[in-house]
Amino acid sequence: MSLTEDPDLQPVLLGLFLSLYLVTVLGNLLIILAVSSDSHLHTPMYFFLSILSFVDICFISTTAPKMIVDIQTQSGVISYVGCLTQMSLYAIFVCMDDMILTVMAYDRFVAICHPLHYQVIMNPCLCGFLTSVSFLLSLLDSQLHNLMILQITSFKDMEIPSFFCDPSQLLNLSCSDTSSDNIVKYFLTVIYGLFPFSGIIFSYYKIIDSILRIPSTGGKYKAFSTCGSHLAVVCLFFGTASGVYLSSAVPHSPRKGAVASVMYTVVTPMLNPFIYSLRNRDIKNALRRLHSRIF
């Protein structure tokens, strides 16, 4: 489904989404280059930030290029194999985003609540292990969605009420009994949505409790400033994700669901590098040093 039927808006949307895509890729690439080129940023916090930036590039690349081509050609057709591929990659990277944000919350919890043991706990082996587990869990989520979608046999000449192959929308196309699929879908929502979000909430509960015990105002501000950017990204990610989930549950509102999906799949990955670069002094200094070395 296209975002609008008005032909006069098609060139505007083409320029808008092409610009958003290029800004997202460039912004996240700059974060990765800044972290990798600056030895001051070779810490667990910025390691996970570079992983998040890489995942955001992959996340937006699963939906935006196809949408831009569809607007240019004024055709919204996708093959069965192409749809399954897009859905699989989307499920992997959206779940990976979720997992990495949870790991980053744990990293901030250890840094603020156990600062003397931070280097020992968050060692390179644990960082690599947490990243690998996040990827494997994301891959499992993608395969479970694939198994559910492959059970739909009458998947031909169908209109998907979204601008990409959204797993939740594809499951709604089934004409057969979907009670078992709904149970699996709600189970995955709890495992990959509620549990990580609960972990983030618990981490910040302990973080705020530790910050309030700091006697000086300057110490409180310094401690909270290290996790302010992450908290903003978490609110943006889970806020837009909730909007997409609620819009897909409400019948007869495909356009509203498409707008919510745009916020979730395009705007959120674009804003992440801006949030981290504008609110983080280390990233700004690293970008300045990277700029001076290049030019």
Side-chain angles (χ1 to χ4, degrees):
M1 185 186 71
S2 60
L3 294 175
T4 179
E5 299 296 335
D6 189 352
D8 295 331
L9 286 178
Q10 299 292 339
V12 178
L13 291 178
L14 178 64
L16 175 63
F17 287 113
L18 181 59
S19 302
L20 290 176
Y21 178 66
L22 293 176
V23 168
T24 302
V25 173
L26 179 61
N28 284 287
L29 276 177
L30 283 175
I31 295 290
I32 296 172
L33 288 174
V35 171
S36 60
S37 64
D38 197 319
S39 60
H40 298 90
L41 301 184
H42 292 175
T43 62
M45 173 183 173
Y46 294 109
F47 168 74
F48 292 126
L49 175 58
S50 61
I51 295 294
L52 181 68
S53 295
F54 174 74
V55 172
D56 280 338
I57 292 174
C58 297
F59 181 32
I60 193 173
S61 296
T62 60
T63 57
K66 180 68 172 72
M67 177 176 60
I68 292 169
V69 171
D70 288 345
I71 295 174
Q72 173 67 25
T73 59
Q74 296 185 358
S75 171
V77 178
I78 188 170
S79 66
Y80 179 74
V81 175
C83 188
L84 287 180
T85 303
Q86 187 183 59
M87 185 206 68
S88 300
L89 294 174
Y90 170 83
I92 288 175
F93 293 121
V94 72
C95 185
M96 191 74 177
D97 237 336
D98 184 18
M99 295 291 109
I100 293 298
L101 286 174
T102 307
V103 170
M104 293 175 75
Y106 174 71
D107 171 74
R108 292 298 84 208
F109 161 73
V110 176
I112 294 175
C113 299
H114 305 283
L116 298 178
H117 301 93
Y118 177 70
Q119 295 295 336
V120 177
I121 297 174
M122 298 303 297
N123 56 75
C125 291
L126 181 63
C127 293
F129 174 75
L130 292 174
T131 304
S132 300
V133 169
S134 299
F135 175 73
L136 291 176
L137 289 175
S138 304
L139 189 62
L140 176 63
D141 176 60
S142 173
Q143 294 307 308
L144 289 174
H145 276 97
N146 267 335
L147 289 175
M148 289 189 291
I149 297 299
L150 288 172
Q151 293 177 3
I152 304 176
T153 55
S154 57
F155 197 65
K156 186 179 180 181
D157 297 332
M158 301 292 290
E159 183 177 349
I160 303 169
S162 181
F163 67 91
F164 71 103
C165 293
D166 190 342
S168 60
Q169 298 293 348
L170 292 177
L171 288 173
N172 294 335
L173 298 177
S174 177
C175 299
S176 58
D177 183 26
T178 59
S179 56
S180 60
D181 288 342
N182 287 331
I183 292 174
V184 175
K185 185 169 72 171
Y186 294 139
F187 175 76
L188 292 176
T189 302
V190 171
I191 296 298
Y192 291 97
L194 186 59
F195 281 178
F197 185 69
S198 301
I200 294 173
I201 293 296
F202 176 77
S203 296
Y204 274 100
Y205 165 74
K206 301 297 288 185
I207 288 171
I208 293 172
D209 183 58
S210 296
I211 290 176
L212 292 177
R213 295 179 185 177
I214 300 175
S216 65
T217 305
K220 291 179 181 178
Y221 175 78
K222 184 178 180 181
F224 187 76
S225 64
T226 61
C227 54
S229 299
H230 175 259
L231 187 60
V233 171
V234 166
C235 293
L236 183 66
F237 179 83
F238 282 98
T240 52
S242 301
V244 171
Y245 183 80
L246 292 175
S247 63
S248 65
V250 177
H252 310 301
S253 60
R255 293 289 175 191
K256 293 180 180 178
V259 172
S261 296
V262 167
M263 289 294 297
Y264 184 52
T265 59
V266 178
V267 178
T268 299
M270 182 199 69
L271 291 179
N272 287 353
F274 288 101
I275 292 173
Y276 273 100
S277 60
L278 293 176
R279 293 182 56 88
N280 192 300
R281 185 178 300 173
D282 294 334
I283 290 292
K284 286 191 287 187
N285 291 335
L287 288 173
R288 289 194 192 100
R289 286 191 288 268
L290 179 64
H291 178 270
S292 64
R293 280 198 296 269
I294 293 175
F295 296 102

